[in-house]
Amino acid sequence: MKVPFYGHTLQYNNIKEEIDANMQEVIQSGSFVGGPVLARFEEQAKNYFGTEYAIGVGNGTDAIWLTLMALGVGEGDEVITHPNTFFATAEAAWIAGAKVIFVDCDPKTKCIDPTKIEAAITDKTKAIIPVHLYGQCADMPAIKAIADKHNLLIVEDNAQAIDGAGDTFKQGELSDAVCTSYIIQKNLGCFGDGGMVFTNNKAVNDKVRILRNHGSAERNKHSAGFNSRLDDIQAAVLSAKMNHITEWTDTRIERAKRYDAALADAETIRLPYCTPGYRHVYHLYSIEVKDAAKRDDLQKFLNDNDIDAKNHYSIAIHQQEGYPWGKEAEVVGSIENAEINAASCVSLPLYPEITEEQIDYVASKVMEWDKANA
Ligand SMILES: Cc1ncc(COP(=O)(O)O)c(C=O)c1O
């Protein structure tokens, strides 16, 4: 049985009429950039997300660094995050001009460990970037308490966690802004690149809107800025898909629980941990191989059996060749859990369109490998 890693085309075919109709509206309107469909999607997105403002930008990386810039974070400032995330989290801070301080992740959630943050705070620290890794929110109340104590900003990287929430909090409630990616492989993905900033801060909204559009709030008048816009065709696709995101997330969670049950007796792997009460949206179902030296062997075994297992991310940011590339970065404290995560992670296919039979097949192959390696 073949099990691809993504179900993009299946998903499109399931709601083809809705997406096609929205795209036709853009094409027939002749307004492709900064048009009414983008404005309508921004309205829909902010209502869905529950923030005052939603600003469409070119991609998730830009969403983070434009937000940092809008918040005044740049040269001479430090931001704290963890290194077992996609490269773009740190890259965005570097583009903004800041120094990146890496601390360890929590061994269970793989999100930033709040107990490691205070040791990394200096008089240059300006912001914390918690990443809601794999689809699970970081411990925002603990992070917020530290940020309040030290007067720091919080920019949530929720590229992997649209529709996720904590037990007592929603994304955006305990931070200055939330930055998402709409690249095709995300839980809510467009047909290419896209991103968005969600915020309750009017000044951030106003500033990002200007920055994304060549520093222009008014035709022919410019200040420093960039070109980073979500175009109307992508907004059209996202608008149709947003109507289905809750139902798709619910299916992801169901399928993840099916993996949990089928893999419960495995001795050689650790399963994803879901903080009680949190809505973990399983952007990735990432397991860890207890003997990290055997990680590649499991991945190869699955690939050889027609299962497109991958890993996210086998090289942590501070382990990348040539790090830190002349950019300023520093690791504070032991970073052991992040390194274990990078060395041992394997992502099993999971998306709303994957069938129960495919899940059972993948799980059976993982269990076969487990028995042979226990
Ligand atoms: C955690 C995380 N942050 C940031 C990004 C950057 O988003 P983009 O690729 O849209 O720039 C991604 C994904 O691509 C991501 O997974």
Side-chain angles (χ1 to χ4, degrees):
M1 183 183 289
K2 209 170 171 50
V3 190
F5 198 76
Y6 297 114
H8 304 145
T9 307
L10 289 172
Q11 183 174 82
Y12 166 68
N13 287 333
N14 286 340
I15 58 162
K16 185 176 184 313
E17 286 75 23
E18 293 163 64
I19 292 180
D20 288 357
N22 279 8
M23 286 172 69
Q24 274 304 318
E25 184 186 347
V26 175
I27 294 164
Q28 299 309 327
S29 78
S31 198
F32 292 87
V33 178
V37 173
L38 171 66
R40 200 174 65 207
F41 175 60
E42 288 183 334
E43 193 68 17
Q44 179 187 358
K46 80 170 203 205
N47 291 336
Y48 156 78
F49 205 78
T51 46
E52 291 282 320
Y53 308 99
I55 312 110
V57 294
N59 55 65
T61 312
D62 288 0
I64 300 171
W65 74 266
L66 292 172
T67 297
L68 290 172
M69 240 185 133
L71 287 165
V73 180
E75 292 292 332
D77 298 328
E78 294 177 355
V79 304
I80 298 173
T81 191
H82 60 115
N84 57 312
T85 168
F86 183 57
F87 185 75
T89 308
E91 181 186 30
W94 281 316
I95 297 171
K99 176 176 178 179
V100 179
I101 307 297
F102 293 117
V103 298
D104 209 358
C105 69
D106 178 278
K108 286 206 282 198
T109 66
K110 320 300 173 194
C111 296
I112 195 168
D113 182 344
T115 67
K116 302 288 166 61
I117 293 175
E118 278 198 291
I121 294 174
T122 70
D123 56 3
K124 291 184 176 157
T125 310
K126 274 281 175 59
I128 304 168
I129 308 182
V131 183
H132 302 325
L133 198 72
Y134 303 149
Q136 172 160 237
C137 286
D139 183 352
M140 290 301 296
I143 295 165
K144 172 78 172 145
I146 295 163
D148 284 349
K149 184 170 157 197
H150 296 274
N151 199 21
L152 303 176
L153 300 159
I154 303 176
V155 176
E156 295 173 70
D157 178 345
N158 90 332
Q160 302 189 0
I162 201 96
D163 201 30
D167 50 352
T168 58
F169 64 91
K170 285 179 15 181
Q171 294 177 35
E173 278 180 353
L174 301 177
S175 69
D176 297 276
V178 185
C179 299
T180 208
S181 165
Y182 289 133
I183 193 170
I184 176 70
Q185 62 261 36
K186 297 305 187 211
N187 290 21
L188 181 59
C190 60
F191 286 172
D193 279 307
M196 188 159 262
V197 178
F198 298 97
T199 184
N200 292 313
N201 182 326
K202 183 172 184 316
V204 170
N205 171 67
D206 295 351
K207 186 82 183 161
V208 172
R209 279 182 190 282
I210 291 171
L211 288 173
R212 75 172 174 177
N213 190 33
H214 304 288
S216 178
E218 203 181 313
R219 189 169 170 75
N220 290 328
K221 291 193 175 169
H222 299 267
S223 56
F226 311 89
N227 178 356
S228 181
R229 298 174 296 222
L230 182 69
D231 66 61
D232 284 59
I233 286 283
Q234 302 303 349
V237 173
L238 291 163
S239 177
K241 287 191 174 190
M242 193 168 254
N243 293 330
H244 298 272
I245 187 66
T246 307
E247 149 208 343
W248 287 341
T249 304
D250 290 344
T251 308
R252 276 180 185 271
I253 294 170
E254 250 175 53
R255 297 287 189 268
K257 299 290 167 221
R258 197 171 180 94
Y259 270 140
D260 284 349
L263 299 175
D265 294 333
E267 289 172 35
T268 61
I269 58 172
R270 285 183 287 270
L271 301 185
Y273 174 81
C274 177
T275 307
Y278 277 36
R279 182 169 167 83
H280 187 328
V281 301
Y282 294 97
H283 171 60
L284 295 168
Y285 190 92
S286 182
I287 61 176
E288 283 184 343
V289 180
K290 288 180 186 167
D291 179 355
K294 291 187 174 174
R295 185 267 305 280
D296 292 350
D297 187 63
L298 171 59
Q299 192 177 335
K300 182 172 183 310
F301 176 77
L302 297 175
N303 293 163
D304 288 347
N305 281 282
D306 267 350
I307 298 164
D308 189 15
K310 299 185 185 296
N311 66 67
H312 300 76
Y313 302 94
S314 60
I315 307 175
I317 301 175
H318 69 292
Q319 297 171 324
Q320 295 288 341
E321 202 175 326
Y323 162 88
W325 316 278
K327 303 278 188 183
E328 280 198 278
E330 194 180 319
V331 166
V332 173
S334 160
I335 206 103
E336 189 190 4
N337 296 316
E339 291 182 349
I340 290 171
N341 182 235
S344 61
C345 58
V346 176
S347 307
L348 305 182
L350 178 65
Y351 38 96
E353 298 74 24
I354 197 169
T355 64
E356 293 184 345
E357 291 69 32
Q358 285 174 310
I359 294 277
D360 293 347
Y361 172 68
V362 175
S364 75
K365 287 295 162 192
V366 174
M367 290 307 290
E368 192 181 317
W369 186 88
D370 176 73
K371 284 203 176 54
N373 287 274

